[in-house]
Coordinates of all heavy atoms in Angstrom, one line a residue:
L944 N 170.5 42.1 163.3 CA 171.4 42.7 162.3 C 172.7 42.0 162.5 O 173.4 42.1 163.6 CB 171.5 44.1 162.5 CG 172.0 44.9 161.2 CD1 171.0 44.7 160.0 CD2 172.1 46.5 161.5
I945 N 173.2 41.2 161.5 CA 174.5 40.5 161.6 C 175.5 41.3 160.8 O 175.3 41.7 159.7 CB 174.3 39.1 161.0 CG1 173.2 38.3 161.6 CG2 175.6 38.3 161.2 CD1 173.3 38.2 163.1
H946 N 176.7 41.4 161.5 CA 177.7 42.4 161.0 C 178.8 41.5 160.4 O 179.3 40.5 161.0 CB 178.3 43.3 162.0 CG 177.3 44.3 162.4 ND1 176.4 44.1 163.4 CD2 177.0 45.5 162.0 CE1 175.6 45.1 163.6 NE2 176.0 46.1 162.8
Y947 N 179.3 41.9 159.2 CA 180.4 41.1 158.5 C 181.6 42.1 158.1 O 181.4 43.2 157.9 CB 179.9 40.6 157.1 CG 178.7 39.6 157.2 CD1 177.5 40.0 157.5 CD2 179.0 38.2 157.1 CE1 176.4 39.1 157.6 CE2 178.0 37.3 157.1 CZ 176.7 37.7 157.4 OH 175.7 36.8 157.4
I948 N 182.7 41.5 158.1 CA 183.9 42.2 157.5 C 184.4 41.3 156.4 O 184.4 40.1 156.4 CB 185.0 42.6 158.5 CG1 185.5 41.3 159.2 CG2 184.5 43.6 159.5 CD1 186.7 41.6 160.1
F949 N 184.9 41.9 155.4 CA 185.4 41.3 154.1 C 186.8 41.7 153.8 O 187.1 42.9 153.9 CB 184.5 41.5 152.9 CG 183.1 41.1 153.1 CD1 182.2 41.8 153.7 CD2 182.7 39.8 152.6 CE1 180.8 41.4 153.9 CE2 181.4 39.4 152.7 CZ 180.5 40.1 153.4
Q950 N 187.7 40.8 153.4 CA 188.9 41.1 152.8 C 188.9 40.6 151.4 O 188.5 39.4 151.1 CB 190.1 40.4 153.6 CG 191.5 41.0 153.3 CD 192.4 40.7 154.4 OE1 192.7 39.5 154.6 NE2 193.0 41.8 154.9
C951 N 189.3 41.5 150.5 CA 189.3 41.2 149.0 C 190.7 41.1 148.5 O 191.5 42.0 148.6 CB 188.6 42.4 148.4 SG 186.9 42.7 149.0
K952 N 191.0 39.9 148.0 CA 192.3 39.6 147.5 C 192.3 39.4 146.0 O 192.0 38.3 145.6 CB 193.0 38.4 148.2 CG 193.2 38.7 149.7 CD 194.2 39.8 149.9 CE 194.6 39.9 151.4 NZ 195.5 41.1 151.6
R953 N 192.6 40.4 145.2 CA 192.7 40.2 143.8 C 194.1 39.7 143.5 O 195.0 40.5 143.2 CB 192.4 41.5 143.0 CG 192.0 41.3 141.5 CD 193.0 40.8 140.6 NE 194.1 41.8 140.7 CZ 195.4 41.4 140.7 NH1 195.8 40.2 140.6 NH2 196.4 42.4 140.8
W954 N 194.3 38.4 143.8 CA 195.6 37.8 143.8 C 195.9 36.8 142.6 O 194.9 36.2 142.2 CB 196.1 37.2 145.1 CG 196.4 38.2 146.2 CD1 196.3 39.5 146.2 CD2 196.9 37.8 147.5 NE1 196.7 40.1 147.4 CE2 197.2 39.0 148.2 CE3 197.3 36.6 148.1 CZ2 197.7 39.0 149.5 CZ3 197.9 36.6 149.3 CH2 198.1 37.9 150.1
A955 N 197.1 36.7 142.2 CA 197.5 35.6 141.3 C 198.0 34.4 142.1 O 197.8 33.3 141.8 CB 198.5 36.0 140.3
S956 N 198.7 34.7 143.2 CA 199.1 33.6 144.0 C 198.1 33.2 145.1 O 197.1 33.9 145.3 CB 200.5 34.2 144.8 OG 200.2 35.4 145.5
K957 N 198.3 32.1 145.7 CA 197.3 31.6 146.7 C 197.4 32.4 147.9 O 198.5 32.8 148.4 CB 197.5 30.2 146.9 CG 197.2 29.2 145.7 CD 197.3 27.7 146.1 CE 196.9 26.9 144.9 NZ 197.1 25.4 145.2
V958 N 196.2 32.5 148.6 CA 196.2 33.3 149.9 C 196.7 32.4 151.0 O 196.1 31.3 151.1 CB 194.8 33.8 150.1 CG1 194.7 34.6 151.4 CG2 194.3 34.8 149.0

Side-chain angles (χ1 to χ4, degrees):
L944 207 57
I945 307 298
H946 294 87
Y947 296 79
I948 58 172
F949 297 85
Q950 193 160 58
C951 305
K952 295 294 184 186
R953 201 288 305 139
W954 280 13
S956 52
K957 292 183 177 181
V958 178

